[in-house]
Amino acid sequence: IMSIDGSLGGMIQTNTGTICNLKLDDFMFRFSSNTGDSKAGTIAAINKGSIKNCSVIGGTIVFSQKWERSVGRYTTQNSSTTGFFGGAIGVNEGSIESCALEATFSVDGSSINTQKEYDGRMCSLTIYFGGMCGRNTGTIYKSNVTGHSLSSIYAMKNGYYFSTDLCACCILREGGFVGINDEGGMISLCHVGFEAKISSSGIMERYADYGGFVSLNNGSIQYCSSYGTAGQTNNAFSNCNLCGFVYNNNGSISNCLSGVDIESTGTANYLAGFVGYNQKTIQNSVSNTSINAKGYSYLGGFAARNTSGGGIMKCLLVGSAAGDKANNSGIFVACPDSGSTTAKCYYDKSFAFKVNGVVSALTEASAEAYSSDSLLRKEFLSGTLSFDETYWDLTDGEIPVLLVN
């Protein structure tokens, strides 16, 4: 299926009914738009109905969006547009249940300001991409995504501008499962195994916000897991955030697990095993990741920053982290703002935080250090951390994992 220069792309543009037992094998889907706000997914651009027991297996899925500003001199308006792209659904406002997706993804976005004289106005493009859907305000239940993505963004201006003029911006907000889980969105019992590589080019502003499961969460997520890898392929971003489960949490997350390994050798702001920027609630969750980074602002084994009003409760950290500076680094939380809370959070004493190859003597006030023997006891996990055996595999001596559907 191919859609060129459209605003909606998919087998169905808008689903208001029921789609059941659809199976797509060795599938090729390509969507390209130059026309402004866009939504695209292999099954439907927009889902307002029900999608159940569907699968997209072994496919190649390509999304491309370009936004160009070339208007009269001294306009009063900024020029901006947004793309919502998902492996199955662009925007979900209905329900998705028991669906599976396995694919190779390519996502490209470019923002170009070709106006001949600088007027202080911005040309900007924001792309939300997720392995299952770009934006969710509905419900997603018992669904899985596996695959790998190569995403690139580009921001440029024409040669008439001085080099300091900020007139073009491209933003990628990518999640292994969902780009943005917005207000009203509920995701439960879903899992993702994703390998993500992100690159950028151009001389204007380029930002990437990656979460192993979701980039931005304003809704509710429970009993979900993310596995895989995430990394930059070049040092060309204005800013890049790489996080194991979620970049920005402004909602509720409970009983979730991050197993995403992070590699960052370029300009980065927030790097974290679970959450980059936490504003609301995370509880009963696990980060089991490896982080290897340099050139960052904040690096935390579990959270890079826990803001005023943010709460992290009954969470567990295992794994390792390596960076090139101790400042703004933390074993559990790198930057706990005044007014933030952590309660009954623990990390493995053997958690190694290395700075330039040497184990750092970082102190950690946000969590308590226990030995592996103490942490990984079924009694401790189900009692102190309140992990429910209905959803967690709690075996003595083993790191807890969520039971896969």
Side-chain angles (χ1 to χ4, degrees), residues 10-265:
M11 292 184 64
I12 300 170
Q13 289 194 338
T14 301
N15 174 50
T16 57
T18 299
I19 302 174
C20 257
N21 302 317
L22 172 67
K23 185 176 181 180
L24 303 173
D25 288 332
D26 296 325
F27 189 74
M28 176 66 186
F29 177 85
R30 182 182 296 274
F31 176 83
S32 176
S33 175
N34 300 328
T35 60
D37 291 349
S38 299
K39 304 171 183 69
T42 54
I43 297 175
I46 303 170
N47 175 46
K48 296 185 177 183
S50 173
I51 297 176
K52 188 174 182 180
N53 295 325
C54 295
S55 64
V56 179
I57 304 298
T60 299
I61 300 172
V62 179
F63 299 108
S64 177
Q65 182 156 2
K66 178 181 177 181
W67 188 238
E68 185 171 325
R69 178 175 183 261
S70 179
V71 294
R73 183 182 178 187
Y74 301 123
T75 62
T76 59
Q77 299 293 322
N78 291 323
S79 175
S80 63
T81 194
T82 305
F84 295 101
F85 303 141
I89 305 295
V91 173
N92 178 50
E93 300 172 4
S95 65
I96 300 172
E97 181 179 348
S98 300
C99 291
L101 191 144
E102 179 186 339
T104 298
F105 299 93
S106 174
V107 182
D108 295 292
S110 61
S111 175
I112 306 171
N113 198 332
T114 60
Q115 190 165 332
K116 300 303 181 183
E117 294 188 43
Y118 181 58
D119 60 3
R121 303 299 172 182
M122 174 70 75
C123 174
S124 66
L125 167 65
T126 302
I127 290 177
Y128 293 88
F129 164 69
M132 182 61 67
C133 70
R135 180 177 185 237
N136 177 54
T137 58
T139 60
I140 309 178
Y141 180 65
K142 285 189 175 181
S143 296
N144 305 302
V145 171
T146 57
H148 57 271
S149 69
L150 181 60
S151 304
S152 64
I153 55 176
Y154 172 82
M156 183 57 72
K157 61 182 181 177
N158 72 21
Y160 287 81
Y161 300 128
F162 293 107
S163 61
T164 56
D165 293 336
L166 174 58
C167 59
C169 177
C170 194
I171 302 169
L172 172 67
R173 290 176 175 151
E174 177 174 340
F177 195 79
V178 172
I180 177 171
N181 186 43
D182 228 334
E183 292 183 18
M186 163 66 83
I187 305 175
S188 182
L189 294 167
C190 294
H191 307 281
V192 58
F194 212 69
E195 297 179 5
K197 294 182 179 180
I198 303 171
S199 66
S200 77
S201 60
I203 61 174
M204 290 287 94
E205 299 295 288
R206 301 165 315 283
Y207 302 94
D209 303 326
Y210 182 82
F213 191 85
V214 58
S215 177
L216 276 67
N217 178 48
N218 299 320
S220 177
I221 303 173
Q222 60 182 2
Y223 306 112
C224 294
S225 62
S226 60
Y227 290 93
T229 60
Q232 300 163 268
T233 60
N234 63 357
N235 184 15
F237 287 92
S238 306
N239 202 359
C240 183
N241 300 293
L242 298 172
C243 309
F245 192 85
V246 54
Y247 158 58
N248 188 334
N249 177 49
N250 194 31
S252 171
I253 297 175
S254 65
N255 290 282
C256 291
L257 183 148
S258 167
V260 175
D261 294 333
I262 295 169
E263 185 85 18
S264 176
T265 57

Side-chain angles (χ1 to χ4, degrees), residues 316-377:
L316 174 65
L317 169 66
V318 294
S320 64
D324 60 358
K325 66 176 182 179
N327 292 339
N328 295 327
S329 299
I331 293 174
F332 198 85
V333 179
C335 180
D337 287 0
S338 175
S340 66
T341 59
T342 55
K344 291 188 177 181
C345 291
Y346 303 89
Y347 66 94
D348 190 341
K349 273 186 179 179
S350 65
F351 184 92
F353 196 113
K354 294 183 178 181
V355 177
N356 294 319
V358 179
V359 175
S360 174
L362 287 173
T363 58
E364 180 57 63
S366 299
E368 296 182 60
Y370 275 33
S371 68
S372 296
D373 290 341
S374 297
L375 283 179
L376 304 181
R377 287 184 298 111

